[in-house]
């Protein structure tokens, strides 16, 4: 399928071309940074992800796949993160050799109160606070991609154990867009699980961020984690995009 498209300069232009889609807003910084490509019925745009150029897309799957294929041929990114129905329409040689599958969730409505929220709080991010969070993640979520050194992290939330000083739960407020909080690395220490602490922390952070004036809150969860997905849906989150993400660079 041949396709013609228009190049866009700046994240504001990308957001405008998407009719201010929540999904697009979540993964653009706003302002003059960024770039995109608009076709009739589809949109693709680039952003930096962990020091690499990543291409995302949305819209009519067939049109979006043709748009991505054209962009990859002209200006190859280093990574793709696309809705599943778009990725699977790409020629096989344009897809990542390895990829992860995950769901994107968002809510613009404060969740109902959840038992245990009184334990949730913002965590300090001084040297000692970061060390405590890193120690918790090493125990509870060693594969967490968002860590305390991530430049996109704005703050950390969590809950303390019985001693009142050691966190047994944590989560990051991250994301490229300053006005769109993206919750990441939500983790609970094995000793504190099955107490509803993950739901309590997420509900508290979501309500706090919405009350602070953010238009919506987003998060991601790996495909197959159905219990976690049900938890987020109970809190009012909607999963509107099932995504596939992977590197286009050779695997060493």
């Amino acid at each position: 399928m041949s396709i013609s498209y228009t190049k866009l300069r700046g994240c504001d232009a990308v957001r405008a071309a998407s009719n201010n889609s929540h999904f697009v807003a979540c993964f653009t910084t706003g302002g003059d940074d960024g770039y995109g490509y608009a076709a009739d019925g589809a949109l693709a745009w680039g952003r930096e992800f962990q020091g690499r150029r990543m291409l995302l897309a949305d819209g009519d799957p067939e049109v979006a796949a043709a748009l991505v294929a054209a962009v990859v041929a002209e200006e190859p990114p280093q990574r793709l993160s696309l809705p599943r129905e778009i990725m699977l329409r790409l020629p096989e040689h344009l897809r990542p050799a390895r990829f992860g599958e995950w769901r994107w969730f968002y809510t613009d409505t404060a969740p109902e109160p959840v038992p245990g929220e009184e334990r949730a709080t913002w965590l300090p991010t001084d040297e000692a606070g970061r060390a405590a969070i890193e120690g918790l993640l090493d125990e509870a979520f060693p594969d967490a991609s968002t860590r305390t050194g991530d430049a996109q992290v704005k703050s950390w939330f969590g809950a303390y154990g019985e001693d009142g000083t050691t966190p047994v739960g944590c989560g990051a407020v991250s994301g490229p867009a300053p006005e769109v909080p993206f919750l990441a690395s939500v983790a609970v220490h094995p000793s504190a699980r099955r107490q509803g602490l993950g739901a309590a922390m997420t509900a508290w952070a979501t309500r706090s961020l919405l009350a602070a004036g953010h238009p919506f809150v987003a998060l991601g969860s790996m495909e197959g984690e159905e219990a976690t997905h049900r938890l987020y849906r109970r809190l009012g989150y909607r999963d509107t995009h099932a995504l596939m993400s992977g590197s286009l660079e050779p695997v060493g």
Side-chain angles (χ1 to χ4, degrees), residues 89-144:
R89 283 175 167 80
L90 287 179
E92 189 169 352
H93 71 278
L94 295 182
R95 302 179 203 164
R98 299 180 183 177
F99 53 82
E101 297 191 60
W102 57 288
R103 289 181 176 268
W104 180 79
F105 292 76
Y106 85 94
T107 185
D108 52 14
T109 304
E112 294 295 322
V114 173
E117 282 189 53
E118 68 280 357
R119 298 179 61 184
T121 186
W122 298 110
L123 298 178
T125 54
D126 56 8
E127 184 176 352
R130 291 195 302 272
I133 293 169
E134 289 294 329
L136 172 58
L137 289 174
D138 287 343
E139 288 284 334
F141 193 1
D143 295 331

Side-chain angles (χ1 to χ4, degrees), residues 81-216:
S81 189
L82 306 174
R84 180 181 177 86
E85 60 269 23
I86 297 174
M87 184 77 83
L88 295 181
R89 283 175 167 80
L90 287 179
E92 189 169 352
H93 71 278
L94 295 182
R95 302 179 203 164
R98 299 180 183 177
F99 53 82
E101 297 191 60
W102 57 288
R103 289 181 176 268
W104 180 79
F105 292 76
Y106 85 94
T107 185
D108 52 14
T109 304
E112 294 295 322
V114 173
E117 282 189 53
E118 68 280 357
R119 298 179 61 184
T121 186
W122 298 110
L123 298 178
T125 54
D126 56 8
E127 184 176 352
R130 291 195 302 272
I133 293 169
E134 289 294 329
L136 172 58
L137 289 174
D138 287 343
E139 288 284 334
F141 193 1
D143 295 331
S145 58
T146 299
R147 292 280 188 155
T148 57
D150 192 322
Q152 292 188 351
V153 172
K154 288 87 170 173
S155 57
W156 288 86
F157 58 94
Y160 291 105
E162 291 183 0
D163 63 5
T165 60
T166 304
V168 295
C170 71
V173 180
S174 186
E179 76 277 21
V180 181
F182 188 91
L183 306 188
S185 293
V186 178
V188 176
H189 192 277
S191 65
R193 289 173 183 165
R194 300 187 183 280
Q195 301 175 19
L197 193 54
M201 293 190 308
T202 303
W204 179 87
T206 301
R207 187 180 304 103
S208 298
L209 291 163
L210 291 173
H214 296 284
F216 64 96

Side-chain angles (χ1 to χ4, degrees), residues 43-54:
L43 178 70
W45 71 100
R47 61 170 287 230
E48 185 175 297
F49 176 79
Q50 297 180 348
R52 293 181 291 170
R53 298 185 313 279
M54 180 168 70

